[in-house]
Amino acid sequence: MRILAVIAAMLVAEVAGKNVVLFSDLCQLSLTLKGSVLLPNASCCLGIVRPINYVCPFESKVEEDTTFASAVEQYLVDCDHELPASIIIVKTESDVVKSLSYAKNASVDFRVKSGGHNQACLSTVKNGLVISLQEMKKIEYKTVDEEVYMTLQSGVTLTQLYTDYTANSDVYFPHGLDPWIGAGGHFTGGGVGHLVRKFGYGTDFVVGMDVVLPSGEFVRVFEPEHEEKLTGHLSVYNPRNRDLMWGLKGSGHANFGVVTKFYMRTIKRPTYVVLGQYDFVVADAASFEYFWTATCDYYWKHPENETAEERNLLVWPTIAQDSTGAFRLKFQIYYIPDNNSTAQGALDEATPAVNAFIANVGLTLHSGGIEAVEQDKHFPNLVNPDFTRTSYSCVARAVRTRAEICSNTHWINHVFAEFMHDEASAFPSRGSTMFAYFDVWGGAASLNDPHFAKTSISTRNAWGTLQYCREPLSPETNRTALVYGEGGTKVFNDTVLNQVGDMWYMNFMDALVTEREHIYSEPAVYQKLKSVKQLYDPLNVFDRPMGVPLPVLDYLKDETAVVSGASGMPAPQDLCKFSAKLKGSVLLPAPYKCCGDMLVPDLPTFPCALDGINGNLSYVKSHDAVMMDCNSFKPDAFVIARTQNDVMAALKYVKERDVEYRIRSGGHSGSCASACTHCLVISLEEMKAIDYVTSEAGATFIGIEPGVRIGELVRSYQANTDVYFPHGLDADIGVGGHLGGGGVGMMTRKFGFGSDFIVGVELILGNGKFVEVYDADYEEEMLGYRRAYNNEDQDLLWAIRGNSHASVGVVTRYWVRTVPRPSYMIQGSYEFKMESKAHVYNFWGSVCKFYSVVNESPLAKNLIMWPYIRSDKTLMFTVYYLPDRNSTAAGAMAEAMPVLQQFLAGVSAPFVSEKIEAVEDGNQFHQMLHAETPRVAYSCTSRLVMNRSDVCEKPAFLESFVNRLWGEIMNPEPYQMFWTYFDPWGAAASSNDPEFKKSSFMGRNAWGTFQYCREPLTTTVSREHLWTAVDDFNNAVAKNISDVWYVNFQDRTTTARSQTLHLPQVTARLHTVKQRYDSHGIIEGPFSVTLPERGW
C-alpha cells in the first residue's frame, strides 16, 4: 500500500497557468516513442509509473545512464531554479510530432531544447515539459560537384560536430566555441563564433532544414539554388517557405517549428590557424581607456577599408578577474591565414597583423604570445576533456554603432568603479568572479554576403555585443545571486550597460528583458517575424517567454464583440490617417482626397506627390469601373488594398468602428451584393499578381490574386503557358468573386466549374488570422511535400469553392490546377429570325432536346451552345466547341460539325446567318485579348433550373415564357432591350467528377440557369427602371421555374440566402464552417453565409 501511495503522489506535477502534467499519460506516451520519458523520482516501465529505483526488465531505448538527474546536470545546469516536471528524450521526427501532440492536447506548458547552453533559461519551464533533442545527433556528408554539404541533427553538440568533421572531412563552417551547445538552438539563433568576421554567421551557411510545424506537419525546406544538388531534383518551390527559412535562420529555436535537421554548405578548413592570448596589467582607470581605444581603433573600419589580414584576425577583448581576485585585461587572438598549408607560413602571415594591433594598446604586457596549431586543435575548448561546465549568468547589449562604446567613455568609468570599488580579496567572498568582453560580429564578411540577407538574426547589422558575466566559485552560489546579488548581472546592467544602448542580445537577457522587440535593431525584421509566426503558428503553440509573438490586431482583444451593423462612417480625416498605414489607398468622393495622412481639396490646383498606388485612381473612376451595375449605390469611400496586410488592416478598421462594409474584387455584380451606400468598400482590384508553378510531374498550377480580371488572366496564360482552366467570358469579372462563386463558363460541360479546379487558397479569416489551405490530393504535387492532413481546413476549402467571395474569409490568392489548352477550338454563332410564337416554341424545343443528358452523344460534352432570344426578334446560338482532336484546324472542324448539325437539325425557324471558325491558340476568347470592351450597366434575374422538366415540360412556364416574350417583342420598351438565355451547367462533366464533390457551389446539381436581362440603350434609362422590368418578368415567368436563385443574379427580389441553396445539408455544413472560422460574423454582407441560430 505504501508503494501505491508513493506512486500516486508521482502521477501529477502542477504547472502554473496550465493543466497538470500527468506522469501516467507520459508513461503511456513513452510506449509510442523511439526515445524515452524521464521523470524526477520516478520512472516509466511498460507504460506504467514506477519508483525511481525500479529495475525494468526491458532495456531502455536511450543511453543507459540517461536519467532525469543526469539530463538536468548535463543540459539544465544554468537553470536549476526552473526544473521541469518531465523531460521527453526524442529520437525521431515522429517522436517530436507525438510529443507536440501530447503537449497541445494536454494543454501543458512545454519547451524544446537541443543542447546545454541556455543562459536565459528560455528552453525550460518550471513544472512543465521539456522536449529534448539530445539523442538526435546524426552527422552525414554529401559531395556534389566537389562541393561538400553536411547534414546534422539538432541534438549534435559543437564538440560532437568538431570531432566528427576533423576526423571525416577537410571542411567546416562558422560555429561557436562552447562544447555543450546544441545545433538546434545555435544555428537558429545565429551561430555566432570566431569565424564571423571572415566568413559570416553559422546561420548564413544553412541551406536547408527539416522542420516539424506546430500543426504536426513535417516539411523539408531548401534554398532553391542548393536543393537540386542535395536531393537530385528541384521540387516546386514555395515562396512562403522562403519566409519560414528566413525566420528560422536567426530568430531562435522553436518559434515557428522544431528544426530536427540542418543542411549546411561548407568551406575548406585551413591546415593551420594561429591562436594566442595577450594579458596586460591593470593600473588605473586609464588602463581601461587605453585597452578600449585599441579595440575601437582596430574594429571600427568600414569593410571596404579593411585589409585581407585584418579580416582574418579576430581579437576578443576581455576584462577578467581570476580566482585570486586579480584583474587582467586580455586579448584572445584567433587568426585564419590565407597561407595556411604550413605552420610557418601561417605564423609569417599572422605576426605582422597581430603585432600591429598589440603595439597600439599602450599598456604593460604581463604575458602573451601566438602559435600555429593544426586542424584538430583549432578549437581548444571543444577538445579539452577538462573543460567542465559551470552555471554562470551573463547580460549583454548589442552594440549598433561605434559611438555607443567608443565616443562616450563615460561607461568605462562605471566599469572601472564596478570592478575596483572593493578590495580584490572581497570578490571571492561574494561567491563569484566576473568577466566582461566585447564580441565582434560585424566587419568584413556578413554585411556584404548575399547569404546574409536570408537571415533574421536580431542583431544582424550590429557591430558586436558587450557582455558581462558572473561565474560561481562554489555550489552554494545560486543563479539568483548571480543575477540579483551584489555585483550581479542586473546591477551591472542597470549601472553600466544602460549607457551602451537599448538593444539586447537574445542569448544573454536573463530576467532583465520583458519584451522581445528590444532585441531587434530593425523594426521591419521584427514585424516580418510576426507575420511568419501568423502564417506557420497561428494558434501560438510555441508560446514561450521572449518567443516571437503573433501580430496583435486590436479588434481581437475583445473576443465577445460582434459586428451588429453600421453605426455611421468616420470622418474623412480619420480615413486619411488610416490610409497612411496601407500599401494601397483610400479614395474619397469630391470635394476631398487623401494626400498621405492629410485630407486635402480634390482640385487639379492641389497636386499631391503621394497620390496612392496609381496616379489615375480616383473615387469616380473606381466607382465607374467596379460598380457600373450598381451605380445607384454610393459608398462613402473605397479602400484599395494591395497586400494581405492591407486587407487585415481594413478589416480591423471596420471592426473597430462598427462600420458597414463590402468586399469587392472586380466589376461584375448583377446582384449588387458587393455594393452599399454610406459604407466602406474594400476593393481588391489592385491585387493582380499571377504566378505559375510546374510540378516535377509537369503539372502546371496558377496562383491568382483576387483583383485579376478574367481578361487579364486569359492574356497572361496565353502568353506564358499552354494550359487553362474553366472560367467565365466577361472580361471585367474579378477572379475573387468569380471563382468563389463557382467559376461558371463555356468549359463547364466538359471540365466542370472553375471552383472545382481550386487546389489551394490564401485568405484572411474574420478574426484577422492569415491561413493557407491546400487540397490534400494535390498538396504534395504542388508544394513538393505533404503536410499533415487537416479535416477542418478541408471543410474551409470546400466552403470557399463556390460559396461566393468573402463569406467565411477574404481570399487573397487562389491556386488552381489546369488542363492542356487546345491548339484549335471552334467559336461562332448561328442566327435565326422569330416571326411567330411557334418559332419561339421550336427554338426552345431544340435546346431541351439536345441538352437532355440521357440522349447525349460522347462528344456532346465538348459543345456548349448558349441560346439567346432578344427583343429585336433574333434567335441566336453562341457556340463554343472544345475538340478532343485539336492539333489542326481541319481536325477540330471535322470533329465539331457533326455535333453542331445534330443540334441544329431540331431548330425550326428562318435561318439568317452563321459564323463558325476554328480559332488558333492565342486568339481564342478573342473578346478578352485586347483592352476590355466598354461595359454597360444591365440588370438580370436568374433561376436555377433543377430539372430538365422545369423549363421543357412545365406548361405554366412554357406558356408564360412564350407569351411574355412575344408580347415584349411586339410592344418593346423604349430605350432598352431585353435578352433571355439558358446557361447549361450540368450534363457530362461536373456531376460525375470526384472533384465536384469538394465544392459548396449552390448550383452543383442543377441542370443550368435561366436568365432574363434588361440593357439600357441610352444613359437616360435608370437602374431602377431596369429593375422594375426585371422584377415584373420574374413575377410573371421565372417564378414558374423553381424557387432557387442563382446568387450572382438575385437582384433585390431575393431576401434570404437560403433561397440560393437548394440542398439543406449544404446549408447546414456552411453554417458549421462559418461558426468555426468566423464565429463573430465579421465577414458579412447581403446573402453571405450566416452563423447558425442557437435555440438557447
Side-chain angles (χ1 to χ4, degrees):
M1 293 296 293
R2 187 170 183 275
I3 292 176
L4 291 176
V6 171
I7 293 175
M10 298 175 187
L11 291 180
V12 298
E14 293 292 338
V15 181
K18 289 279 188 175
N19 288 348
V20 295
V21 176
L22 297 176
F23 288 175
S24 56
D25 285 352
L26 284 170
C27 286
Q28 286 294 311
L29 172 67
S30 71
L31 293 176
T32 71
L33 303 177
K34 296 291 185 182
S36 291
V37 171
L38 307 181
L39 306 175
N41 304 315
S43 63
C44 293
C45 179
L46 300 177
I48 301 173
V49 183
R50 300 288 190 179
I52 189 66
N53 58 354
Y54 182 84
V55 178
C56 187
F58 292 87
E59 187 176 346
S60 173
K61 288 173 284 186
V62 294
E63 296 176 2
E64 291 182 3
D65 62 348
T66 301
T67 64
F68 185 88
S70 65
V72 167
E73 183 178 358
Q74 185 178 6
Y75 293 103
L76 294 171
V77 67
D78 296 323
C79 309
D80 53 5
H81 61 302
E82 290 282 341
L83 293 185
S86 177
I87 300 172
I88 299 179
I89 309 290
V90 297
K91 295 193 78 172
T92 66
E93 282 85 2
S94 178
D95 282 1
V96 176
V97 171
K98 292 171 184 175
S99 301
L100 285 176
S101 177
Y102 168 80
K104 288 193 297 180
N105 292 336
S107 189
V108 298
D109 212 351
F110 74 96
R111 303 288 185 269
V112 180
K113 191 165 183 62
S114 62
H117 189 58
N118 183 23
Q119 286 299 306
C121 296
L122 298 181
S123 55
T124 183
V125 56
K126 190 173 183 178
N127 291 333
L129 197 64
V130 168
I131 300 173
S132 174
L133 310 178
Q134 67 190 70
E135 287 293 311
M136 299 184 70
K137 48 189 179 184
K138 188 175 183 180
I139 302 174
E140 296 178 306
Y141 301 84
K142 181 170 185 176
T143 302
V144 182
D145 297 332
E146 299 184 352
E147 185 173 3
V148 179
Y149 292 92
M150 291 178 64
T151 62
L152 55 147
Q153 290 185 309
S154 288
V156 172
T157 65
L158 295 191
T159 285
Q160 293 165 347
L161 172 64
Y162 177 62
T163 303
D164 195 281
Y165 71 59
T166 53
N168 296 296
S169 76
D170 60 354
V171 297
Y172 69 166
F173 49 82
H175 56 73
L177 292 173
D178 286 348
W180 50 80
I181 294 176
H186 187 53
F187 292 113
T188 57
V192 176
H194 73 293
L195 305 180
V196 165
R197 276 172 52 79
K198 186 174 177 73
F199 297 119
Y201 299 99
T203 292
D204 299 336
F205 281 69
V206 176
V207 298
M209 298 178 183
D210 288 353
V211 188
V212 177
L213 296 178
S215 61
E217 303 159 14
F218 172 79
V219 298
R220 178 167 289 158
V221 293
F222 289 103
E223 298 289 356
E225 59 266 36
H226 295 277
E227 181 179 21
E228 191 167 9
K229 293 181 180 180
L230 281 164
T231 66
H233 64 272
L234 190 62
S235 65
V236 177
Y237 188 63
N238 187 336
R240 287 169 298 288
N241 283 339
R242 183 184 302 168
D243 288 343
L244 176 62
M245 276 201 72
W246 172 88
L248 288 169
K249 290 169 66 170
S251 70
H253 197 47
N255 271 308
F256 323 110
V258 180
V259 179
T260 58
K261 182 185 288 186
F262 296 90
Y263 299 80
M264 314 290 296
R265 62 185 177 94
T266 64
I267 48 180
K268 186 81 171 178
R269 194 168 69 251
T271 306
Y272 288 90
V273 299
V274 176
L275 305 180
Q277 180 172 302
Y278 291 86
D279 289 15
F280 296 87
V281 176
V282 178
D284 50 27
S287 301
F288 283 87
E289 294 196 26
Y290 276 109
F291 178 80
W292 200 251
T293 299
T295 302
C296 290
D297 289 346
Y298 183 77
Y299 279 124
W300 193 255
K301 288 185 178 180
H302 192 278
E304 294 178 357
N305 298 326
E306 285 187 327
T307 65
E309 291 75 15
E310 287 172 331
R311 289 193 294 272
N312 294 347
L313 175 62
L314 180 69
V315 178
W316 275 321
T318 305
I319 304 168
Q321 178 190 26
D322 61 27
S323 59
T324 68
F327 288 108
R328 290 284 183 265
L329 302 178
K330 61 183 179 182
F331 292 106
Q332 291 175 291
I333 304 294
Y334 203 102
Y335 189 92
I336 309 166
D338 296 321
N339 179 14
N340 60 65
S341 59
T342 67
Q344 191 59 50
L347 279 173
D348 289 345
E349 180 184 320
T351 299
V354 174
N355 288 344
F357 177 83
I358 298 302
N360 287 330
V361 176
L363 296 176
T364 302
L365 181 65
H366 179 270
S367 63
I370 57 176
E371 63 175 333
V373 299
E374 292 181 270
Q375 289 189 7
D376 59 352
K377 299 182 180 64
H378 287 184
F379 300 91
N381 291 1
L382 302 185
V383 293
N384 184 354
D386 299 324
F387 198 97
T388 57
R389 289 207 58 194
T390 57
S391 176
Y392 55 87
S393 172
C394 296
V395 66
R397 291 292 176 102
V399 180
R400 284 179 288 195
T401 65
R402 181 181 187 275
E404 288 176 342
I405 57 174
C406 294
S407 299
N408 178 9
T409 58
H410 181 62
W411 78 273
I412 290 287
N413 296 325
H414 278 272
V415 172
F416 186 76
E418 168 65 19
F419 286 7
M420 305 298 290
H421 79 283
D422 202 353
E423 294 179 3
S425 60
F427 274 84
S429 68
R430 298 177 180 174
S432 63
T433 61
M434 56 69 56
F435 56 94
Y437 66 99
F438 180 63
D439 198 353
V440 184
W441 292 357
S446 291
L447 296 179
N448 297 321
D449 188 336
H451 292 280
F452 189 61
K454 299 177 182 179
T455 69
S456 59
I457 185 169
S458 58
T459 43
R460 62 183 190 163
N461 288 334
W463 193 43
T465 61
L466 182 65
Q467 302 184 18
Y468 172 85
C469 303
R470 276 279 169 186
E471 182 177 348
L473 293 176
S474 69
E476 288 73 29
T477 305
N478 61 28
R479 176 80 168 185
T480 302
L482 297 178
V483 178
Y484 297 101
E486 186 180 3
T489 50
K490 187 176 191 310
V491 175
F492 187 84
N493 171 74
D494 294 344
T495 58
V496 179
L497 290 189
N498 281 339
Q499 306 278 334
V500 175
D502 59 358
M503 188 175 71
W504 296 83
Y505 172 39
M506 182 170 57
N507 281 7
F508 295 107
M509 62 191 75
D510 268 324
L512 309 180
V513 184
T514 57
E515 297 182 21
R516 184 184 174 93
E517 61 186 310
H518 291 307
I519 67 174
Y520 286 92
S521 59
E522 299 172 274
V525 173
Y526 184 56
Q527 293 303 319
K528 184 177 177 181
L529 280 173
K530 290 196 289 186
S531 297
V532 176
K533 179 76 169 180
Q534 176 74 69
L535 186 61
Y536 289 94
D537 187 16
L539 300 180
N540 204 18
V541 172
F542 291 106
D543 180 15
R544 60 182 179 86
M546 302 306 299
V548 174
L550 288 167
V552 176
L553 295 176
D554 292 341
Y555 70 80
L556 298 179
K557 290 179 179 177
D558 180 8
E559 288 292 339
T560 62
V562 178
V563 176
S564 58
S567 60
M569 286 297 298
Q573 178 63 63
D574 189 26
L575 282 165
C576 290
K577 289 180 179 178
F578 167 64
S579 74
K581 301 177 182 179
L582 304 176
K583 294 290 186 183
S585 290
V586 169
L587 307 180
L588 300 174
Y592 299 111
K593 66 180 178 181
C594 293
C595 180
D597 62 355
M598 297 182 298
L599 184 70
V600 299
D602 185 16
L603 298 171
T605 56
F606 198 104
C608 177
L610 306 173
D611 255 351
I613 50 181
N614 266 345
N616 62 350
L617 275 180
S618 68
Y619 177 94
V620 173
K621 290 180 180 178
S622 188
H623 185 277
D624 289 348
V626 303
M627 301 189 70
M628 177 171 288
D629 298 324
C630 311
N631 55 15
S632 61
F633 292 91
K634 298 295 181 185
D636 284 352
F638 288 89
V639 173
I640 310 294
R642 289 197 80 184
T643 66
Q644 292 163 343
N645 284 339
D646 282 1
V647 177
M648 285 184 183
L651 288 176
K652 174 179 182 289
Y653 180 90
V654 297
K655 176 64 175 67
E656 285 176 338
R657 291 158 176 78
D658 197 20
V659 166
E660 186 180 4
Y661 74 98
R662 300 289 185 270
I663 305 289
R664 190 163 182 79
S665 63
H668 189 60
S669 180
S671 62
C672 297
S674 55
C676 51
T677 295
H678 294 309
C679 66
L680 203 64
V681 170
I682 301 173
S683 174
L684 311 180
E685 63 188 280
E686 287 295 313
M687 298 182 71
K688 291 184 177 293
I690 303 175
D691 299 308
Y692 299 90
V693 171
T694 302
S695 71
E696 293 178 34
T700 299
F701 299 90
I702 307 179
I704 317 165
E705 288 191 338
V708 174
R709 301 202 177 194
I710 296 297
E712 295 166 338
L713 172 65
V714 170
R715 293 194 292 271
S716 176
Y717 69 57
Q718 289 196 350
N720 294 291
T721 72
D722 58 357
V723 298
Y724 66 168
F725 64 92
H727 56 71
L729 289 175
D730 283 355
D732 56 341
I733 294 177
V735 164
H738 182 57
L739 289 182
V744 177
M746 46 74 68
M747 292 175 266
T748 293
R749 279 171 47 80
K750 179 164 186 164
F751 296 117
F753 299 104
S755 59
D756 298 339
F757 280 65
I758 298 172
V759 297
V761 292
E762 299 170 15
L763 73 158
I764 312 299
L765 297 177
N767 60 9
K769 291 180 180 178
F770 170 81
V771 298
E772 53 181 338
V773 189
Y774 296 98
D775 188 314
D777 292 339
Y778 291 93
E779 182 177 30
E780 187 168 8
E781 182 182 9
M782 179 182 166
L783 301 183
Y785 57 84
R786 180 69 176 271
R787 307 187 311 171
Y789 187 73
N790 187 324
N791 286 320
E792 289 190 356
D793 281 351
Q794 296 303 300
D795 284 345
L796 176 60
L797 189 58
W798 169 86
I800 290 167
R801 289 166 159 160
N803 161 56
S804 81
H805 193 49
S807 267
V808 292
V810 181
V811 176
T812 57
R813 186 189 302 268
Y814 292 98
W815 286 96
V816 297
R817 60 187 175 92
T818 60
V819 292
R821 200 164 66 247
S823 298
Y824 288 90
M825 63 180 289
I826 306 302
Q827 293 179 189
S829 62
Y830 291 94
E831 189 172 330
F832 300 85
K833 199 70 174 175
M834 286 186 293
E835 296 178 346
S836 67
K837 289 184 183 181
H839 292 154
V840 179
Y841 270 115
N842 291 337
F843 178 82
W844 200 252
S846 65
V847 175
C848 291
K849 182 179 180 180
F850 182 81
Y851 282 123
S852 170
V853 177
V854 176
N855 297 323
E856 277 194 328
S857 67
L859 295 178
K861 66 181 184 300
N862 295 348
L863 173 65
I864 185 165
M865 279 196 172
W866 280 314
Y868 284 85
I869 301 174
R870 299 195 314 218
S871 53
D872 61 357
K873 297 185 178 182
T874 298
L875 301 172
M876 186 171 69
F877 293 108
T878 299
V879 174
Y880 282 94
Y881 188 89
L882 309 176
D884 297 329
R885 291 186 297 155
N886 59 65
S887 59
T888 65
M893 193 66 84
E895 179 187 318
M897 289 312 297
V899 184
L900 289 170
Q901 289 165 1
Q902 176 192 353
F903 182 93
L904 295 171
V907 180
S908 177
F911 176 78
V912 176
S913 66
E914 69 175 52
K915 181 183 180 182
I916 300 294
E917 59 181 337
V919 180
E920 192 173 6
D921 184 23
N923 295 313
Q924 296 162 7
F925 309 114
H926 56 84
Q927 68 268 45
M928 301 185 201
L929 300 183
H930 310 290
E932 283 83 344
T933 54
R935 287 201 58 198
V936 292
Y938 52 85
S939 176
C940 296
T941 186
S942 178
R943 291 290 176 109
L944 285 181
V945 179
M946 303 310 303
N947 301 291
R948 178 179 179 275
S949 60
D950 289 341
V951 292
C952 295
E953 298 173 8
K954 270 188 182 180
F957 166 74
L958 291 172
E959 183 177 349
S960 62
F961 170 57
V962 174
N963 288 336
R964 174 65 183 238
L965 291 185
W966 191 251
E968 289 196 23
I969 290 170
M970 299 306 294
N971 299 285
E973 284 277 345
Y975 310 120
Q976 57 178 298
M977 65 175 291
F978 78 85
W979 73 87
T980 184
Y981 68 101
F982 175 65
D983 197 351
W985 291 356
S990 294
S991 298
N992 298 319
D993 188 336
E995 299 298 329
F996 192 61
K997 306 296 189 295
K998 299 176 182 178
S999 166
S1000 61
F1001 186 41
M1002 76 286 168
R1004 61 184 188 163
N1005 289 333
W1007 194 47
T1009 61
F1010 177 85
Q1011 300 185 19
Y1012 173 88
C1013 302
R1014 282 277 181 173
E1015 179 180 332
L1017 297 177
T1018 71
T1019 56
T1020 60
V1021 179
S1022 69
R1023 176 79 171 182
E1024 291 295 325
H1025 196 160
L1026 297 176
W1027 263 340
T1028 299
V1030 168
D1031 289 349
D1032 189 40
F1033 183 90
N1034 174 68
N1035 293 328
V1037 179
K1039 69 177 183 180
N1040 295 313
I1041 299 174
S1042 73
D1043 60 358
V1044 184
W1045 296 85
Y1046 173 36
V1047 72
N1048 278 9
F1049 293 107
Q1050 66 228 15
D1051 272 327
R1052 59 185 181 178
T1053 51
T1054 308
T1055 57
R1057 184 182 174 89
S1058 58
Q1059 290 177 260
T1060 70
L1061 297 167
H1062 60 283
L1063 297 176
Q1065 63 270 32
V1066 172
T1067 304
R1069 187 178 175 189
L1070 283 172
H1071 284 323
T1072 301
V1073 175
K1074 179 75 169 181
Q1075 178 68 58
R1076 184 183 303 142
Y1077 291 97
D1078 186 22
S1079 58
H1080 294 160
I1082 293 172
I1083 308 296
E1084 65 173 4
F1087 310 106
S1088 65
V1089 174
T1090 57
L1091 289 167
E1093 294 182 3
R1094 301 297 185 188
W1096 44 263

